[in-house]
Amino acid sequence: MSLAKHGSAPTSLTSVSMGRKVKDRLVQVLVYLAFALAVIPLVSVLWMVIKNGIGRFDLDFFSFSQNGIGPRDAGGGAYHAIIGTLEQVLLTSVMAVPLGILTAVYLVEYGQDRRLARTISFFVDVMTGIPSIVAGLFILAFWLLLLGFSFSGFAGALALAILMLPTVVRSAEEMLKLVPNELREASFALGVPRWRTVCFVVLPTALSGIVSGVMLAVARVMGETAPLLLLVFVTSSINMNPFSGPQMALPVFIWDQAGQPNDTAIARAWTAALTLILIIMALNLTARLIARLRRPASR
Amino acid sequence: MAKRIEVSGLHAYYGQVHAIEDISMSVEPRSVTAFIGPSGCGKSTFLRTLNRMHEVIPAARVEGKVLLDSEDLYGSEVDPVAVRRVVGMVFQRPNPFPTMSIYDNVAAGLKLNGMRGKSRLDEVVERSLRGANLWNEVKDRLNRPGAGLSGGQQQRLCIARAIAVEPQVLLMDEPCSALDPISTLAIEDLIAKLKEHYTIVIVTHNMQQAARVSDRTAFFNIAGTGQPGRLIEVDDTSKIFTNPVEKATEDYITGRFG
Ligand SMILES: Nc1ncnc2c1ncn2[C@@H]1O[C@H](COP(=O)(O)OP(=O)(O)O)[C@@H](O)[C@H]1O
Ligand SMILES: [Mg+2]
């Protein structure tokens, strides 16, 4: 398309060449198609879990454990597994979130490409690649076999923390890097020391992003099964104390019930899956709400 | 409370890059000094050496002396954080803290340095906003986010934020270059008013602005790309604009280059 350079009639402003229109349409169709393809698994998983899980989504499920209930029996519930999952993931987060955020703060605000920062960054990358079973075996060898502690929710939380840490570091690091340098400079120029700048300017600015990153990490860790089988073991009764004795967790409960041949057990597995999804969604929503409520500044 | 600045033999580097070379000049208290010169000649770099903001950039360093009423800012005992409380700064692009309200933006410097007490803070916030000619526009919405203001209002908010900590010197790096003519006039009026209390240094690309607001003007230039920037001459603004000593200054002011 020469731009009317050689004396040809000036191209009109409204007519776009045919080829360009076709290309535009084609790309549009491809984009919609890709979106639909990406949504199919999501919707079908949700649909299957809701359809199969709604049957046992009753009060019993949330108030009873599996104590004294065999795979064939109706009733029973996942109360013990819900308690276990919540306690284990809480312990995991208490360990991994502050450590991860502080590491990210060091890398972005203080490290400035020093050798220590580069080394830490390298090991965070290595940690990202650790398979969950390996983290579980490491804690098994270290905490249970070497130090002689026995099964507990806390042992499981240690392994989960290893898995959660690199995710938190990486996502918090990305969010901190997004904070414009101008804000740090504005704060320094007011005579505010670096640590206060980090606490009161940089972290609040990155807060909602960090919260989403942490929630993703929590969601990922909440579905881990392998390390818990090694370190927390399975039980059908309620154990409120995460520091001693086997505990149940939702993913382990799902694995346990889904492995039984009976419809009653399989129905419980579906409901547990639905519960797990709902817990993660609820946590996500609360976190977002908190991040939003904190945002509008007031006196 | 305004202070005099005396710079001697100042060099600034970014790693291996020699950005400004051997600058010596003085800035009088309660006056406006304008820095002019082509882009890249080191005006911002020089400005940032005056409140030790230069060294915030990794690998950046400074040689030479900057005396603030006879106290060397680069003395070994001196805390850069304390220097920045005395020598405030306003940046080219308005940069209010996005998570804070208008009120909190102005109070930020005091709050972050540990000042408490609502009535005292209220008083400082009102005084600073009045000082920045912004009070009447925002007094009914102090709790709204600072980022919701127009560009010119945001820049005046940043000026209010800077004067809230009661500095003695105020450095401004092209404070109007992102603003429309009306907001620019508002800021220029403000500079004329602030000059009664502060020592002001302003970098500007706008000759008319330099002529309008400043008492003294410093012209900087660069011999070529990769060369360090140098101070060519500094004198009363009227002298620089009508009868400069250096040929380069005259060429620049009459628009023959740069
Ligand atoms: N952060 C930086 N890192 C490396 N070099 C820089 C940096 N900032 C500025 N410079 C260099 O220093 C010189 C002076 O820049 P600057 O002070 O911004 O000039 P001006 O404000 O007069 O336009 C330029 O050559 C620029 O490339
Ligand atoms: Mg500049």
Side-chain angles (χ1 to χ4, degrees), chain B residues 14 17-20 37-46 57 173-174 203 205 222 226-227:
Chain B
Y14 293 99
V17 179
H18 195 173
I20 53 175
S39 281
C41 68
K43 305 180 296 292
S44 301
T45 305
F46 180 44
I57 294 164
D173 193 352
E174 300 185 36
V203 175
H205 263 129
I222 187 168
Q227 304 281 338

Side-chain angles (χ1 to χ4, degrees), chain A residues 112 182-194 196-197 200-201 204-205 294-299, chain B residues 48 53 56 81 84-85 89 91 93 95-101 104 109 112-113 118 122 142-143 161-162:
Chain A
Q112 284 168 359
E182 296 161 16
L183 295 181
R184 296 184 182 92
E185 295 209 330
S187 178
F188 294 153
L190 290 172
V192 178
R194 189 178 281 268
R196 277 185 192 263
T197 302
F200 299 108
V201 176
T205 307
R294 277 231 33 201
R295 213 173 164 71
S298 60
R299 278 184 192 216
Chain B
R48 291 164 60 97
M53 281 295 286
V56 167
V81 171
R84 294 175 202 138
R85 281 182 208 165
M89 185 158 203
F91 296 81
R93 286 231 316 255
N95 52 1
F97 298 125
T99 54
M100 296 185 194
S101 64
D104 285 337
L112 295 188
N113 284 318
K118 190 170 152 8
D122 283 352
L142 291 175
N143 288 324
R161 178 175 72 184

Side-chain angles (χ1 to χ4, degrees), chain A residues 95-118:
Chain A
M95 290 184 280
V97 173
L99 196 59
I101 291 179
L102 288 176
T103 306
V105 164
Y106 172 75
L107 289 178
V108 178
E109 306 293 329
Y110 293 90
Q112 284 168 359
D113 227 30
R114 296 210 183 108
R115 173 170 286 140
L116 179 61
R118 282 200 308 252

Side-chain angles (χ1 to χ4, degrees), chain B residues 77-92:
Chain B
E77 307 278 273
V78 172
D79 177 6
V81 171
V83 170
R84 294 175 202 138
R85 281 182 208 165
V86 179
V87 186
M89 185 158 203
V90 175
F91 296 81
Q92 183 169 358

Side-chain angles (χ1 to χ4, degrees), chain A residues 132-233:
Chain A
S132 60
I133 188 78
V134 174
L137 284 170
F138 167 67
I139 298 296
L140 180 73
F142 176 71
W143 188 251
L144 271 66
L145 301 181
L146 189 67
L147 298 182
F149 291 95
S150 68
F151 297 123
S152 71
F154 181 69
L158 284 176
L160 295 184
I162 292 179
L163 298 173
M164 190 177 183
L165 190 62
T167 334
V168 174
V169 174
R170 278 287 169 255
S171 63
E173 197 185 350
E174 289 312 312
M175 290 306 137
L176 291 174
K177 278 186 188 159
L178 284 183
V179 175
N181 226 0
E182 296 161 16
L183 295 181
R184 296 184 182 92
E185 295 209 330
S187 178
F188 294 153
L190 290 172
V192 178
R194 189 178 281 268
W195 70 272
R196 277 185 192 263
T197 302
V198 170
C199 293
F200 299 108
V201 176
V202 178
L203 282 174
T205 307
L207 182 73
S208 59
I210 292 178
V211 167
S212 325
V214 166
M215 288 326 297
L216 274 179
V218 166
R220 209 205 117 191
V221 146
M222 224 177 227
E224 282 297 345
T225 321
L228 301 185
L229 277 172
L230 292 175
L231 301 166
V232 196
F233 209 51

